[in-house]
């Protein structure tokens, strides 16, 4: 589940969901399909398609196009994707829509256990993504994908202290990949309610709620 929060809502302390309006301007239908396949799964992003020579209105937050077609578009909100990775597209669209180049901090929260809760938080309040995994390697792969696809000044990972061998495997794999480049913190889980989290009233599973709360911990 992906939740998108505008930066102005973050500054004001509000957590109101808003829609990011994205126009895909291209004649390349393979490119269009690849982009739309990813964005269609993010319900808070609304897309439409036009040809590059069609008039682009001001009612757009981001315009996605190709390198060869960008010269046909007059806008300061152009995004030319270099990959179709979910987090790469999502984070860039969010940043461009809010006139930013990167996040200040990204924190991954992992609630280890039989079902692994996974959450990605930007700057303490914006939920960039949540997932559930059933094996440690999948959670680690997701963390690697986020590290290489989201622009941020700071990046850290918080892992709940529970979870036994699953927690140990996740921590071991992450340390072997990131070494000292990424802080990996082990945080207590006794603060965490299994029925709610601190960021949103949206109904989540207990594993995701725990991961969200773990991500919000400073240490």
């Amino acid at each position: 589940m992906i939740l998108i929060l505008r930066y102005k809502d973050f500054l004001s302390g509000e957590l109101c969901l808003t829609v990011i309006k994205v126009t895909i301007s291209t004649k390349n239908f393979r490119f269009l399909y690849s982009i739309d396949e990813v964005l269609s799964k993010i319900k808070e992003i609304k897309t439409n398609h036009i040809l590059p020579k069609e008039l682009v209105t001001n009612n757009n937050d981001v315009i996605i196009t190709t390198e060869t077609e960008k010269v046909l578009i007059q806008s300061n909100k152009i995004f030319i994707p270099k990959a179709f990775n979910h987090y790469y597209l999502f984070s860039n669209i969010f940043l461009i829509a809010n006139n930013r180049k990167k996040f200040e901090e990204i924190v991954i929260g992992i609630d280890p256990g039989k079902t692994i809760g996974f959450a990605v938080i930007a700057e303490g309040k914006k939920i960039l993504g949540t997932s559930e995994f059933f094996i440690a390697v999948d959670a680690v792969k997701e963390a690697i994908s986020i590290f290489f696809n989201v622009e941020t000044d700071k990046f850290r990972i918080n892992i709940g202290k529970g979870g036994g061998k699953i927690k140990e495997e996740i921590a071991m794999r992450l340390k072997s990949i990131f070494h000292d480049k990424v802080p990996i913190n082990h945080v207590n889980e006794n603060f965490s309610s299994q029925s709610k989290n601190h960021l949103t009233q949206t109904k989540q599973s207990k594993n995701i709620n725990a991961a969200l709360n773990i991500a919000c911990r400073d240490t």
Side-chain angles (χ1 to χ4, degrees), residues 49-89:
H49 172 238
I50 65 171
L51 296 174
K53 290 185 179 181
E54 293 182 43
L55 179 65
V56 177
T57 67
N58 293 325
N59 193 28
N60 297 285
D61 294 309
V62 179
I63 299 171
I64 294 178
T65 191
T66 64
E67 184 69 36
T68 57
E69 294 169 311
K70 69 178 181 180
V71 295
L72 302 173
I73 301 168
Q74 298 297 318
S75 174
N76 61 353
K77 294 282 190 175
I78 292 178
F79 174 38
I80 304 169
K82 307 299 183 186
F84 301 119
N85 173 274
H86 170 88
Y87 276 102
Y88 170 79
L89 292 175

Side-chain angles (χ1 to χ4, degrees), residues 178-189:
F178 292 119
H179 301 288
D180 296 325
K181 294 179 181 178
V182 174
I184 300 173
N185 306 311
H186 298 265
V187 303
N188 290 322
E189 297 183 51

Side-chain angles (χ1 to χ4, degrees), residues 19-121:
V19 173
I20 296 180
K21 297 178 181 178
V22 176
T23 292
I24 306 170
S25 180
T26 183
K27 295 187 296 182
N28 185 332
F29 286 92
R30 180 176 293 180
F31 174 83
L32 171 65
Y33 174 82
S34 298
I35 291 289
D36 203 45
E37 186 179 27
V38 178
L39 299 188
S40 64
K41 297 174 184 177
I42 305 174
K43 66 180 181 179
E44 292 81 16
I45 289 183
K46 182 180 179 181
T47 64
N48 71 296
H49 172 238
I50 65 171
L51 296 174
K53 290 185 179 181
E54 293 182 43
L55 179 65
V56 177
T57 67
N58 293 325
N59 193 28
N60 297 285
D61 294 309
V62 179
I63 299 171
I64 294 178
T65 191
T66 64
E67 184 69 36
T68 57
E69 294 169 311
K70 69 178 181 180
V71 295
L72 302 173
I73 301 168
Q74 298 297 318
S75 174
N76 61 353
K77 294 282 190 175
I78 292 178
F79 174 38
I80 304 169
K82 307 299 183 186
F84 301 119
N85 173 274
H86 170 88
Y87 276 102
Y88 170 79
L89 292 175
F90 169 77
S91 62
N92 276 282
I93 288 170
F94 181 91
L95 290 169
I96 292 169
N98 290 283
N99 299 307
R100 303 183 63 194
K101 293 186 180 298
K102 61 173 65 175
F103 293 104
E104 292 178 10
E105 183 179 50
I106 295 293
V107 182
I108 292 175
I110 301 176
D111 177 43
K114 185 176 180 180
T115 300
I116 302 165
F118 189 98
V120 187
I121 305 296

Side-chain angles (χ1 to χ4, degrees), residues 107-113 116-119 136 139-140 143 155-176 178 182-192 210-219:
V107 182
I108 292 175
I110 301 176
D111 177 43
I116 302 165
F118 189 98
V140 172
F155 187 93
R156 62 186 167 93
I157 300 172
N158 289 353
I159 306 175
K161 287 186 177 179
K165 291 183 179 180
I166 294 292
K167 185 263 293 183
E168 293 173 6
E169 182 182 356
I170 292 172
M172 179 192 68
R173 288 179 179 276
L174 289 171
K175 287 179 181 177
S176 68
F178 292 119
V182 174
I184 300 173
N185 306 311
H186 298 265
V187 303
N188 290 322
E189 297 183 51
N190 54 7
F191 69 91
S192 176
L212 285 165
N213 289 332
I214 288 167
C216 290
R217 296 283 286 185
D218 290 332
T219 57

